[in-house]
Amino acid sequence: MFPQVNSQKRVRASISAPNATKVHLDLGGVKYDMKKDSNGVWTGESNPQDEGFHYYQLNIDGASVPGPGSLYFYGAGRWGSGIEIPSEDQDFFALKNVPHGLVSENIYFSKLTNSFRRCFVYTPPWRGQTIMWLQNL
């Protein structure tokens, strides 16, 4: 299934476009040539990419199209294909069963501004310590 990311952090994409004359993988504004096989399937690979999320598209004879095997993400004012280059420290980003605090919203009247204001109170999961910050309504 495409797109793929190999161990060298290169992105590989493929699309069937038997009548196309030129196809590119456009990843981060850099266009990589793709090659057509005897079945009309174009495949191409990028240079190694930085870790993290990247938008990409395929350019078929000048028309930019999303990758058929990708989810679509909204960014840069439009929908597009995206791919994640895994990080070396993936465990850091993994969901873990850790204690969580509580954020509460309180509305109060401020004599200083003569208006109602909104206050968020964070109560950490340890010793009942409280951190408070204010936000204008």
Side-chain angles (χ1 to χ4, degrees):
M1 185 68 156
F2 290 94
Q4 299 172 341
V5 178
N6 69 16
S7 61
Q8 299 166 342
K9 300 182 182 176
R10 295 175 186 267
V11 174
R12 190 170 210 211
S14 181
I15 190 166
S16 177
N19 298 324
T21 58
K22 191 160 198 138
V23 179
H24 292 100
L25 164 62
D26 183 344
L27 182 63
V30 178
K31 290 184 171 69
Y32 300 94
D33 290 332
M34 297 176 76
K35 294 184 180 170
K36 182 166 68 168
D37 68 14
S38 59
N39 295 322
V41 175
W42 295 78
T43 305
E45 187 174 273
S46 74
N47 290 334
Q49 300 295 307
D50 291 334
E51 296 173 351
F53 181 83
H54 298 268
Y55 287 102
Y56 80 95
Q57 58 192 354
L58 301 175
N59 189 286
I60 302 173
D61 290 336
S64 294
V65 299
S70 169
L71 295 174
Y72 299 149
F73 302 88
Y74 191 80
R78 63 181 171 83
W79 285 95
S81 297
I83 190 163
E84 180 79 21
I85 309 301
S87 67
E88 298 294 326
D89 58 347
Q90 288 183 18
D91 187 57
F92 177 81
F93 300 101
L95 294 176
K96 297 178 182 76
N97 185 14
V98 297
H100 294 280
L102 177 69
V103 176
S104 303
E105 177 183 15
N106 297 299
I107 306 295
Y108 69 98
F109 185 81
S110 167
K111 291 180 183 178
L112 183 65
T113 63
N114 197 31
S115 65
F116 283 95
R117 305 218 32 203
R118 184 167 45 171
C119 165
F120 293 92
V121 178
Y122 172 64
T123 305
W126 58 90
R127 295 193 189 130
Q129 298 169 357
T130 301
I131 300 168
M132 185 170 79
W133 71 94
L134 303 176
Q135 178 180 344
N136 290 332
L137 287 174

